[in-house]
Amino acid sequence: MDRRRVTINDIARHAGVSRSTVSLVLRASPRIPPETHDRVQGSIRALGYTYNRSAANLRQQTSQAIGLIINDICNPFFAELTSAVEEAAAEAGFFVYLVESAESPDRQDRVLQSMIEHDVAGMIICPATGTPGRTFDTLHARGLPICIAVRPYPDPRFDFAGPDNYLAAQMATGHLVGRGHRRIAFLGGEPTNPSRVDRLSGYFSALQQNGIAFDPALVVESRPSRKSGIADVEQVLRLAEPPTAALCYNDFVAISVMHGLRLQGLEPGRDMALIGFDGMPEAEMTYPPLSTVSLHARAIGRNAADLIIRRIGEPAAAPARRVEQPTLIIRQSSGA
Amino acid sequence: MDRRRVTINDIARHAGVSRSTVSLVLRASPRIPPETHDRVQGSIRALGYTYNRSAANLRQQTSQAIGLIINDICNPFFAELTSAVEEAAAEAGFFVYLVESAESPDRQDRVLQSMIEHDVAGMIICPATGTPGRTFDTLHARGLPICIAVRPYPDPRFDFAGPDNYLAAQMATGHLVGRGHRRIAFLGGEPTNPSRVDRLSGYFSALQQNGIAFDPALVVESRPSRKSGIADVEQVLRLAEPPTAALCYNDFVAISVMHGLRLQGLEPGRDMALIGFDGMPEAEMTYPPLSTVSLHARAIGRNAADLIIRRIGEPAAAPARRVEQPTLIIRQSSGA
DNA sequence: CTGAAAGCGCTTACAG
DNA sequence: CTGAAAGCGCTTACAG
């Protein structure tokens, strides 16, 4: 930075008016006559002035920043969610600080602190797995607008935007049962992950409704990744009576389960019916194309943005929950 | 926000010292004796004070914000890059404003303006396709630290971090030639995209080196997406003498080319050898697994972050270029 | 219609 | 070692 920043003082001097007048011109006040307006605008162009919104924010006690804390931007589900949040925020004149928590509650704490220091107007948080119940208490006490997203979080004080995991799992399980499967595995996900807890409940309930006994050997736990499904299927394939179908914790896992099946000489879709969760776009392009329950990541992102923007404008509004209904997408992997 | 923010004034009053002293305590000045320090820290805890970094930034004329402008966060290449930028920034005490330009130079202009208003310390820009040459001139004149990333941008005034597209395409083409192919298509990408221009040059040069005549009918242009490859292959399959192999503009395109081949009753890998660019993680899990040239998105992101952080600290340093060397990853899709 | 003054929350010479 | 004062770039009553 060679020369110092051009400020309204410079504009005022150049245009021969006071700082107040420049400020009023910037804010397009009707109290300013056209000639003054044009003269000041001319000086602004002549000097190459750029508004310093941070200074204005300090004075006005406002902020246009929305913090977004997600676990993993490289998961296409979160990428889509982020994109939708960013879009909705931009439309409303906000912009987003993006940070990854990498599922670490510690990192999440540090990030939270940093966001407050940087004076965000509010934040959207996808809680890291293992987030203690009181983590957001001081934020709430301070009146900071917060919207919990994606991960179910049993605290009615906060706005929430997420999918209906329970229903999603019921739909997926029901679909597989409808295709004649009785031994249906549930592959992947960490036991403490609340999304998984809900999906597992939906799975149980659908089994029960259909009079199918639950077999714990068919439920495999693992940290979900782009490869974890390989070991997940392998485990269940070793059973005396292996499953003929599987719900996978998410599409990520499902895609690697396909890979794992092939490593065992089996053909996904034919030798084992597969369905994932999330509805990420790449699921359409796998071979065979992957059945999935779309959770509508973009819609959830937009809901979260809408909720936080509303709360920033109306801090005392009653907390709202926006639960997005899932959609079953049947493709070849479940034998369509 | 019920009560107003707790400030250093409140701390000063509570601890019975002046604002200056509180400030010195916050910045851990050695001039403050332990007793005073502890007393002030006690008040900070008692009142639940949070540092207002925006105010400090205004006073100190600094900023910890790095703007990152990318085209599409839902492209896993950019997701990985973003993740790496965010990580490197956090390590150095910066945080990132993320914005998508969606390949629109207009939107990019608006975003640029907004980032300056919000007083970013510097920015990393993946220029939207079609960005006019003078877009960054005023930013540069103003001395704003800028790092151009990913897309080659022929302006030696700026720091640059990106892949070696030319070499990547040479490697990919050479590999296919080595496997006996003579009719090799180049599928997808927009003609004005500078990354594609470089990849095409590498492809030409490798053909030439191997004494293979260039056939323009084998080069297909299209806006790359998760589905665009379907139409791309279809077009080239209609030729009297169709290709036996294809370079795909990126992995996205390659995956949909696989899909397109199957729609024509052909088997990817066997009936047409395929290789992509980017090296995105999902390429390993396709069927057949996709050969690709890894451009090392994470490394590029980290390079970009390092460069911008260096420039923020040292505005007058000579512009640097960090060109990451690509890696050929051979899998079944090219007949390994 | 326009200007002088105070203040947002902080830091930083400068006194004492 | 600690306090009073000025100032970062802006906005906003309040005069005139």
Side-chain angles (χ1 to χ4, degrees):
Chain A
M1 319 247 182
D2 302 349
R3 43 179 206 216
R4 46 174 270 292
R5 183 164 194 147
V6 177
T7 76
I8 54 169
N9 286 310
D10 303 309
I11 304 300
R13 206 173 308 120
H14 187 271
V17 296
S18 75
R19 299 217 307 274
S20 328
T21 304
V22 176
S23 182
L24 291 171
V25 169
L26 287 173
R27 327 196 73 227
S29 163
R31 283 159 46 197
I32 301 292
E35 310 89 71
T36 310
H37 179 94
D38 293 350
R39 186 149 45 93
V40 171
Q41 283 293 356
S43 299
I44 286 174
R45 268 191 301 278
L47 301 185
Y49 168 75
T50 301
Y51 188 62
N52 185 335
R53 201 170 292 273
S54 305
N57 283 345
L58 177 60
R59 174 59 227 252
Q60 293 180 118
Q61 302 279 66
T62 58
S63 156
Q64 289 80 233
I66 292 175
L68 173 61
I69 307 181
I70 62 176
N71 301 296
D72 173 19
I73 186 74
C74 294
N75 180 331
F77 177 85
F78 285 110
E80 283 198 272
L81 179 115
T82 300
S83 174
V85 168
E86 203 267 301
E87 183 179 84
E91 282 171 18
F94 290 86
F95 60 97
V96 353
Y97 289 3
L98 172 71
V99 177
E100 292 184 281
S101 69
E103 296 283 14
S104 154
D106 275 3
R107 189 159 152 62
Q108 181 174 268
D109 280 346
R110 285 198 301 278
V111 156
L112 247 27
Q113 180 63 24
S114 157
M115 285 191 170
I116 300 170
E117 288 189 2
H118 285 290
D119 199 31
V120 293
M123 32 202 191
I124 297 170
I125 307 171
C126 306
T129 296
T131 298
R134 48 182 168 42
T135 294
F136 309 126
D137 278 8
T138 55
L139 306 183
H140 183 257
R142 199 174 293 187
L144 192 80
I146 288 182
C147 176
I148 305 290
V150 181
R151 298 276 169 81
Y153 190 81
D155 192 326
R157 295 173 302 170
F158 300 115
D159 290 321
F160 173 82
D164 188 335
N165 287 298
Y166 182 83
L167 178 58
Q170 278 191 317
M171 290 164 69
T173 310
H175 160 65
L176 293 174
V177 172
R179 303 216 34 105
H181 296 284
R182 310 280 299 173
R183 290 206 43 88
I184 302 173
F186 187 104
L187 303 179
E190 293 179 290
T192 52
N193 178 325
S195 298
R196 181 176 186 270
V197 170
D198 286 0
R199 289 177 197 173
L200 217 40
S201 305
Y203 161 79
F204 289 150
S205 102
L207 289 181
Q208 201 158 27
Q209 269 172 34
N210 289 282
I212 300 175
F214 165 62
D215 180 353
L218 291 177
V219 175
V220 178
E221 294 167 0
S222 68
R223 183 172 187 115
S225 75
R226 275 203 173 79
K227 293 188 175 180
S228 58
I230 298 174
D232 296 343
V233 242
E234 202 183 295
Q235 177 175 332
V236 91
L237 247 19
R238 278 196 299 263
L239 293 174
E241 202 183 341
T244 62
L247 260 66
C248 304
Y249 168 69
N250 63 20
D251 291 343
F252 252 24
V253 171
I255 290 173
S256 57
V257 164
M258 285 190 177
H259 200 76
L261 283 171
R262 289 206 172 92
L263 293 177
Q264 306 286 325
L266 298 173
E267 185 58 25
R270 189 194 63 193
D271 298 322
M272 187 184 289
L274 255 31
I275 186 164
F277 289 89
D278 281 0
M280 59 192 219
E282 27 268 90
E284 192 176 348
M285 292 288 147
T286 60
Y287 183 71
L290 178 65
S291 294
T292 182
V293 192
S294 173
L295 268 25
H296 303 296
R298 289 205 73 89
I300 293 172
R302 180 159 278 275
N303 288 344
D306 288 349
L307 286 174
I308 199 69
I309 289 166
R310 185 200 60 148
R311 180 153 307 280
I312 289 167
E314 217 179 316
R321 296 181 63 78
R322 288 258 251 281
V323 177
E324 198 66 25
Q325 293 309 289
T327 308
L328 196 56
I329 301 179
I330 308 298
R331 302 200 183 97
Q332 273 90 299
S333 75
S334 60
Chain B
M1 317 250 183
D2 301 349
R3 41 180 208 216
R4 42 172 272 293
R5 185 164 191 146
V6 177
T7 75
I8 54 170
N9 285 309
D10 302 310
I11 305 300
R13 206 173 309 120
H14 188 272
V17 298
S18 74
R19 298 217 308 272
S20 327
T21 303
V22 177
S23 182
L24 290 172
V25 169
L26 287 172
R27 328 194 71 228
S29 162
R31 283 159 48 197
I32 301 292
E35 312 88 70
T36 310
H37 179 94
D38 292 351
R39 186 149 45 92
V40 171
Q41 284 293 355
S43 299
I44 285 174
R45 267 190 302 278
L47 300 185
Y49 169 75
T50 301
Y51 188 62
N52 184 336
R53 200 171 291 273
S54 306
N57 283 345
L58 177 61
R59 175 58 227 251
Q60 294 179 117
Q61 303 279 64
T62 58
S63 156
Q64 288 83 234
I66 292 176
L68 173 61
I69 307 182
I70 62 174
N71 302 296
D72 174 18
I73 186 75
C74 294
N75 180 332
F77 177 85
F78 284 111
E80 283 197 273
L81 178 116
T82 299
S83 174
V85 167
E86 202 266 300
E87 184 180 84
E91 282 170 18
F94 289 88
F95 60 97
V96 354
Y97 289 3
L98 172 71
V99 177
E100 292 184 282
S101 69
E103 297 283 17
S104 154
D106 275 3
R107 189 159 150 64
Q108 181 175 267
D109 280 347
R110 286 197 301 278
V111 157
L112 248 26
Q113 180 63 23
S114 158
M115 285 191 168
I116 300 170
E117 289 190 0
H118 284 291
D119 199 31
V120 293
M123 32 202 190
I124 298 172
I125 307 173
C126 306
T129 296
T131 298
R134 47 178 171 44
T135 294
F136 308 126
D137 278 9
T138 54
L139 306 183
H140 183 256
R142 199 173 293 186
L144 191 81
I146 289 181
C147 176
I148 305 290
V150 182
R151 298 276 169 82
Y153 189 81
D155 192 326
R157 297 173 300 173
F158 301 113
D159 289 322
F160 173 81
D164 189 335
N165 287 299
Y166 181 83
L167 178 59
Q170 277 190 319
M171 290 165 69
T173 310
H175 160 66
L176 293 174
V177 171
R179 304 218 30 107
H181 297 283
R182 310 281 298 174
R183 292 211 35 93
I184 302 173
F186 187 104
L187 302 179
E190 293 180 289
T192 52
N193 178 323
S195 298
R196 181 175 185 270
V197 170
D198 286 0
R199 288 176 199 175
L200 217 40
S201 305
Y203 162 76
F204 289 149
S205 101
L207 289 181
Q208 200 159 28
Q209 269 172 32
N210 289 282
I212 300 175
F214 165 61
D215 179 353
L218 291 177
V219 176
V220 178
E221 295 167 358
S222 69
R223 182 171 189 115
S225 76
R226 274 202 173 80
K227 294 188 175 181
S228 60
I230 298 175
D232 297 343
V233 241
E234 203 182 295
Q235 176 175 334
V236 92
L237 248 20
R238 279 196 299 262
L239 293 174
E241 204 183 339
T244 62
L247 259 67
C248 303
Y249 168 69
N250 63 20
D251 291 343
F252 251 26
V253 170
I255 290 173
S256 57
V257 164
M258 285 190 178
H259 199 76
L261 283 171
R262 289 204 172 94
L263 293 177
Q264 306 286 325
L266 298 174
E267 185 58 25
R270 189 194 64 191
D271 298 322
M272 187 183 291
L274 255 30
I275 186 164
F277 289 88
D278 282 0
M280 59 192 218
E282 28 268 90
E284 193 176 347
M285 290 290 146
T286 61
Y287 182 72
L290 178 66
S291 294
T292 183
V293 191
S294 173
L295 269 24
H296 302 296
R298 288 204 74 88
I300 293 172
R302 180 159 279 275
N303 288 344
D306 288 349
L307 286 174
I308 199 69
I309 289 165
R310 186 198 61 148
R311 181 152 305 281
I312 289 167
E314 217 180 314
R321 295 181 64 78
R322 287 258 251 282
V323 177
E324 199 66 25
Q325 293 308 292
T327 309
L328 197 55
I329 301 178
I330 308 298
R331 302 200 182 96
Q332 274 90 300
S333 75
S334 59

